[in-house]
Amino acid sequence: MSRAPHEDPRQDAPEVTEPGRSAAGIPAVVSSVRVVGGQAGARRGMLTLLDVNQKKGFDCPGCAWPEPGHRHPAEFCENGAKAVAEEATRRTVTPEFFARHGVADLAGRSGYWLGQQGRLTRPMYLAAGASHYEAVSWERAFDLVAEELAALDSPDEALFYTSGRTSNEAAFLYQLFARKFGTNNLPDCSNMCHESSGSALVETLGVGKGSVLLDDLYQADLIIVAGQNPGTNHPRMLTALERAKRGGARIITVNPLPEAGMRRFRNPQTVRGLAGGGTLLTDLFLQIRLGGDLALFSALNRMMLQMEELRPGSVLDRDFIAEHTHGFDVFAEALLEQDDDAFWSEVGAATGLPREQIDEALAMVLGSRRVVVCWAMGLTQHKHSVPTIRELVNFLLLRGNVGRPGAGVCPVRGHSNVQGDRTMGIFERPAPAFLDALGAEFGFAPPREHGHDTVRAIRAMRDGTARVFFAMGGNFVSASPDTSATEDAMRRCRLTVHVSTKLNRSHVVTGARALILPALGRTDRDDSGGAEQFVTVEDSMGMVHASRGSVRPLSDQMRSEVAIVAGLARRVLGPDDDVPWEDFARDYDLVRDRIERVVPGFTDFNARVRRPGGFALPHAPRDERRFPTATGKANFTANPLTAPRVPEGRLLLQTLRSHDQFNTTVYGLDDRYRGIRGGRRVVFVHPDDAAGLGLADGAYADIVSEWEDGVERRAPHFRIVHYPTARGCAAAYYPETNVLVPLDSTADVSNTPTSKSVVVRFEADSGEA
Ligand SMILES: Nc1nc2c(c(=O)[nH]1)N[C@H]1C(S)=C(S)[C@@H](COP(=O)(O)OP(=O)(O)OC[C@H]3O[C@@H](n4cnc5c(=O)[nH]c(N)nc54)[C@H](O)[C@@H]3O)O[C@H]1N2
Ligand SMILES: Nc1nc2c(c(=O)[nH]1)N[C@H]1C(S)=C(S)[C@@H](COP(=O)(O)OP(=O)(O)OC[C@H]3O[C@@H](n4cnc5c(=O)[nH]c(N)nc54)[C@H](O)[C@@H]3O)O[C@H]1N2
Ligand SMILES: [Mo]
């Protein structure tokens, strides 16, 4: 039977046109309206959109970018609209659907096709050896999980994964349940995402979160956006950048790709944006090589130190350094002692940037009083990501750019509540103070031994030391590195369980037994316990606010994540467990009261979160220039220059997002800004590199990754697209290329998979994908 391209990856047939030169504008408005109308029906869709990010509405399930204080009546973006449409769809996946499509059939479908089938409506169970999922009751589902958990030799043989959409209330109860059960095995999507940021920021500033609020961006003189594609992944950030520019800020963009969104922004919410030419965002574009950012920040820092030596007091903020920092001398000496020729030849090789451009960047830095650095996955998914982010902190500390208005660190988070989940204790290496508070509040002794992060969780399943995998959202199989290794690991489990809104590949690559539990999403009205409930989330800037769904759920069998955790916890921990799980599921205020008593910063939680706009969590470096690090000061660090080494005839591949997806959820096949339509198996290569490798534009090839373990990892049948990326670098979409990322290739310290630096070679097209 032949299938359409969107059903079958083997039929993938991308068309290629010129990349775009600006972002948003009318095409974005048209795209949102079409997507929402198609999925949800025009009326339900538009009504839902009007509630996105409004003070009484729900938090956009798209990204973690904060909402401005003065909200536009349409405070959403094209990609937020797609995220909403994806969730508020009227299509449903029913037991009859599962009767028609066996697991083997579903496993042969594309992720796009699976997601398009609609919302999950009933708990479904795949018995050992069965070919089809069958409907079960919630009670039976909980019994099955309890039975498998009870059969484990140790609680540490269970894994409790979280993706970043889970609300604060559900996350808090979920980690409480896991710890009462007896394990810190709480891997989450953060392990693959901003873990490197958290590691570097905790060590240097004492808080693993961003130190700026929206107002700081508006007040900045200079904003550096490094390793981030906000035009696609955080479109509302473009509005903030536009406003910052109008206030006089300048912007340096650091990226191997000339992303259309950072060039020119045509704000769909203004007449000028819709009809006029829009705003030029980037003042200086540094087209850096993959992994070159450590070298870039080192070069800027070294030049500033040298200038300060020549004219003391002219460049550095001496008072700030003396009063608030530690380790300056060691840092400065390590950077200054290097031989000039050797240093600059390394910087040139690592960055690929001409010296004049780095000088120009330096001049902009020196001409700016207030500097913010924003970054995302382009900085966090390399082997040397943690030193890179530490060096970026050095860069800001030198001129006192932390803890005052208009300046600071701005790691831009991904999932809409990934930051809140961490605040609620979703972490495999919890701080002792958090466990003390949790144990005291609930009268138990939480486990102290560190649990597994995502990569270690996969190894544990592979090695048979973890046997039950439970996921609160997400798509673990497709999001994790080394797809075949991860799939084999999942198949070795006794039970895999997914609390999900939509069908995905993780439901069809299962343990011996499997469960799918249908959850309410952000847009759905939550009447758990008979009264309307709301949940809370924390955005990328530490603002906590309420989120209230408005769409009537498509099935009365869907449950809120809070209710699912509470029901499961009662069944697993037994009737004698003294946590009032039933009360929590009936009234989320009671959960918030407990959060207030365990997590710092939530004083008067229930009252404050009901105020319009919510409240900001305290942040010691931002609020009072206090740095709760090991030394009690902001730490300078010495970070030896290093960059990925790529052998002759090979390229360095980054795996990234198209404009038409949310992580593993593919919305459509249109990467508008990069000029790719109708397919996803494309690899972007610089024309000169392609010529050297004999790769014609439009030809097909296999991508093969090379790693020290000698295992062959192959992604077959990719169309070569000649594209103006940095030399020596290539780019292709995730998750199709996750098969190429070796499980053991991870960042130092943070253990994040190196999804942005994979050494690859190209081989003749082996045919089918
Ligand atoms: N619509 C939509 N929104 C999303 C998501 C989505 O999939 N779709 N995902 C959400 C999530 S979970 C996250 S984490 C964020 C991700 O947001 P981004 O980090 O913007 O996502 P990526 O597509 O991975 O893009 C990485 C960017 O960094 C650049 N880059 C890669 N390597 C390097 C490098 O070594 N140095 C520099 N300077 N640049 C580099 C790439 O060219 C690209 O522009 O977005 C969130 N928002
Ligand atoms: N090669 C490569 N791999 C990467 C990355 C990369 O750049 N390159 N990026 C990494 C990053 S930054 C991240 S964050 C991870 C993402 O990893 P995950 O968070 O695990 O993956 P998602 O694709 O966001 O998960 C989508 C699924 O979540 C479920 N879902 C959606 N909303 C809800 C909800 O409200 N409740 C529940 N219970 N379920 C819901 C749906 O069933 C949907 O199919 O991937 C990582 N993997
Ligand atoms: Mo992410």
Side-chain angles (χ1 to χ4, degrees):
M1 184 181 71
S2 83
R3 291 177 179 161
H6 60 277
E7 290 178 59
D8 183 347
R10 286 168 301 185
Q11 304 292 321
D12 194 83
E15 296 158 28
V16 179
T17 55
E18 279 289 297
R21 298 189 167 274
S22 67
I26 285 178
V29 176
V30 171
S31 179
S32 330
V33 170
R34 195 185 57 220
V35 155
V36 174
Q39 284 262 353
R43 203 181 124 76
R44 178 176 162 109
M46 291 319 291
L47 285 176
T48 315
L49 279 183
L50 289 175
D51 270 357
V52 185
N53 291 340
Q54 295 304 311
K55 287 181 175 161
K56 284 187 170 158
F58 59 87
D59 178 60
C60 180
C63 73
W65 189 254
E67 284 76 49
H70 298 283
R71 291 167 207 220
H72 193 277
E75 197 52 60
F76 59 90
C77 66
E78 173 194 355
N79 279 343
K82 291 179 196 166
V84 167
E86 182 78 17
E87 189 174 292
T89 178
R90 277 184 309 199
R91 299 179 198 151
T92 54
V93 172
T94 57
E96 295 71 44
F97 170 89
F98 285 104
R100 269 199 313 279
H101 301 282
V103 173
D105 171 3
L106 296 174
R109 306 286 181 153
S110 72
Y112 177 45
W113 186 90
L114 292 174
Q116 288 297 304
Q117 302 313 303
R119 288 289 297 271
L120 295 157
T121 52
R122 294 277 297 273
M124 301 298 302
Y125 172 51
L126 184 70
S131 60
H132 290 69
Y133 272 98
E134 283 178 16
V136 285
S137 68
W138 279 99
E139 299 330 303
R140 170 95 174 108
F142 290 155
D143 284 349
L144 285 161
V145 181
E147 184 187 307
E148 288 287 2
L149 287 178
L152 297 177
D153 292 335
S154 142
D156 290 328
E157 290 183 352
L159 301 164
F160 296 97
Y161 175 73
T162 312
S163 164
R165 272 193 197 168
T166 297
S167 66
N168 288 334
E169 290 75 9
F172 183 77
L173 294 186
Y174 186 53
Q175 60 85 32
L176 173 64
F177 162 61
R179 293 188 165 117
K180 286 211 89 177
F181 175 67
T183 184
N184 282 315
N185 283 342
L186 287 156
D188 70 345
C189 67
S190 216
N191 300 144
M192 301 183 265
C193 184
H194 264 294
E195 197 70 59
S196 304
S197 308
S199 301
L201 294 177
V202 166
E203 180 186 344
T204 55
L205 301 179
V207 179
K209 301 180 181 182
S211 74
V212 299
L213 299 172
L214 270 180
D215 268 338
D216 294 308
L217 276 187
Y218 304 151
Q219 292 176 46
D221 301 322
L222 177 68
I223 301 171
I224 300 179
V225 180
Q228 200 199 339
N229 178 23
T232 285
N233 298 311
H234 306 90
R236 285 179 299 117
M237 178 174 169
L238 298 187
T239 314
L241 291 178
E242 186 189 39
R243 176 158 169 196
K245 283 219 77 163
R246 265 190 274 130
R250 294 202 289 171
I251 296 179
I252 300 178
T253 297
V254 189
N255 203 309
L257 292 175
E259 305 281 29
M262 282 309 294
R263 286 203 206 159
R264 188 178 281 282
F265 172 50
R266 304 178 67 192
N267 190 340
Q269 294 170 356
T270 64
V271 173
R272 186 160 36 118
L274 280 179
T279 308
L280 256 189
L281 289 182
T282 297
D283 296 281
L284 176 65
F285 174 44
L286 300 179
Q287 186 162 30
I288 200 165
R289 290 202 170 137
L290 288 169
D293 306 84
L294 171 55
L296 172 65
F297 284 109
S298 300
L300 292 171
N301 291 347
R302 182 171 142 121
M303 289 193 290
M304 287 196 276
L305 290 169
Q306 287 171 334
M307 293 175 76
E308 178 75 13
E309 276 190 337
L310 288 176
R311 281 212 286 148
S314 64
V315 175
L316 306 189
D317 185 340
R318 288 273 167 196
D319 294 342
F320 173 78
I321 292 172
E323 197 183 336
H324 294 291
T325 72
H326 174 269
F328 173 78
D329 292 341
V330 175
F331 149 75
E333 208 180 295
L335 206 47
L336 287 173
E337 78 183 3
Q338 301 176 55
D339 169 75
D340 215 54
D341 289 343
F343 180 80
W344 281 103
S345 101
E346 266 197 70
V347 169
T351 62
L353 297 172
R355 177 72 189 262
E356 309 80 72
Q357 282 195 359
I358 301 182
D359 289 344
E360 202 182 331
L362 180 68
M364 289 169 72
V365 172
L366 295 179
S368 308
R369 269 293 292 143
R370 295 177 291 266
V371 181
V372 173
V373 183
C374 303
W375 73 92
M377 296 304 99
L379 295 204
T380 64
Q381 297 176 332
H382 293 279
K383 178 161 168 49
H384 59 304
S385 283
V386 176
T388 300
I389 297 162
R390 285 198 297 236
E391 194 63 27
L392 159 180
V393 172
N394 289 338
F395 166 79
L396 289 169
L397 292 178
L398 280 176
R399 285 166 64 81
N401 274 311
V402 178
R404 60 180 167 81
V409 288
C410 182
V412 181
R413 303 278 161 178
H415 268 299
S416 50
N417 198 39
V418 62
Q419 185 158 315
D421 290 347
R422 247 327 139 74
T423 307
M424 292 299 117
I426 301 291
F427 192 24
E428 74 283 353
R429 291 172 284 134
F434 175 84
L435 294 181
D436 292 344
L438 188 72
E441 175 64 23
F442 292 99
F444 78 114
R448 297 277 161 172
E449 206 182 309
H450 287 176
H452 295 310
D453 62 14
T454 292
V455 165
R456 292 191 182 92
I458 296 167
R459 289 192 196 125
M461 291 188 275
R462 174 194 68 195
D463 300 341
T465 54
R467 298 159 192 280
V468 172
F469 175 88
F470 188 103
M472 185 55 73
N475 181 3
F476 192 83
V477 161
S478 296
S480 296
D482 222 339
T483 312
S484 16
T486 298
E487 294 196 352
D488 289 347
M490 291 285 275
R491 290 198 174 99
R492 298 206 56 189
C493 287
R494 294 219 294 240
L495 175 70
T496 51
V497 188
H498 286 89
V499 177
S500 308
T501 51
K502 304 285 290 273
L503 197 59
N504 66 46
R505 186 150 177 89
S506 300
H507 302 132
V508 295
V509 178
T510 68
R513 308 160 97 184
L515 281 162
I516 303 173
L517 306 178
L520 296 177
R522 231 11 109 60
T523 54
D524 297 311
R525 200 173 66 214
D526 181 354
D527 289 327
S528 305
E532 197 190 339
Q533 306 280 350
F534 67 91
V535 293
T536 63
V537 293
E538 174 185 343
D539 68 29
S540 200
M541 294 181 173
M543 299 290 301
V544 177
H545 55 88
S547 176
R548 198 176 268 115
S550 53
V551 175
R552 191 218 291 241
L554 293 172
S555 145
D556 60 3
Q557 287 288 303
M558 293 175 177
R559 287 195 186 175
S560 76
E561 292 180 349
V562 169
I564 294 170
V565 176
L568 181 67
R570 173 59 71 212
R571 177 64 191 81
V572 172
L573 301 174
D576 296 336
D577 186 73
D578 55 12
V579 175
W581 298 105
E582 292 77 9
D583 297 342
F584 287 162
R586 262 195 302 273
D587 183 356
Y588 300 178
D589 277 358
L590 302 177
V591 184
R592 285 185 281 270
D593 287 341
R594 300 303 188 102
I595 292 172
E596 174 173 345
R597 289 211 284 271
V598 172
V599 189
F602 285 84
T603 314
D604 227 359
F605 189 8
N606 269 309
R608 283 198 298 159
V609 84
R610 284 177 159 82
R611 290 183 204 145
F615 61 93
L617 286 176
H619 187 289
R622 181 193 68 208
D623 304 337
E624 25 173 337
R625 277 203 161 173
R626 190 168 57 76
F627 299 93
T629 62
T631 62
K633 305 254 175 168
N635 289 317
F636 278 100
T637 52
N639 303 296
L641 237 183
T642 166
R645 299 262 172 263
V646 185
E648 265 301 299
R650 312 294 188 256
L651 296 178
L652 198 61
L653 176 81
Q654 62 155 322
T655 61
L656 80 180
R657 293 152 174 81
S658 84
H659 189 63
D660 226 1
Q661 70 183 87
F662 191 94
N663 298 338
T664 68
T665 300
V666 175
Y667 299 137
L669 302 176
D670 188 0
D671 193 6
R672 180 151 45 80
Y673 298 150
R674 301 198 187 105
I676 307 297
R677 306 193 66 181
R680 294 177 45 89
R681 298 184 82 84
V682 292
V683 56
F684 301 102
V685 181
H686 191 281
D688 295 345
D689 289 323
L693 297 171
L695 300 170
D697 190 40
Y700 279 80
D702 285 7
I703 315 176
V704 181
S705 71
E706 296 183 356
W707 169 246
E708 59 196 38
D709 62 6
V711 173
E712 185 185 286
R713 297 179 176 85
R714 177 181 298 266
H717 195 59
F718 274 71
R719 180 182 162 141
I720 308 289
V721 177
H722 288 189
Y723 200 85
T725 177
R727 287 296 308 271
C729 305
Y733 302 137
Y734 131 76
E736 286 80 356
T737 45
N738 285 42
V739 63
L740 298 172
V741 186
L743 181 63
D744 295 324
S745 173
T746 61
D748 298 337
V749 185
S750 67
N751 210 27
T752 295
T754 59
S755 304
K756 297 287 189 276
S757 41
V758 185
V759 174
V760 298
R761 63 172 193 268
F762 293 85
E763 289 191 357
D765 181 17
S766 61
E768 297 202 326

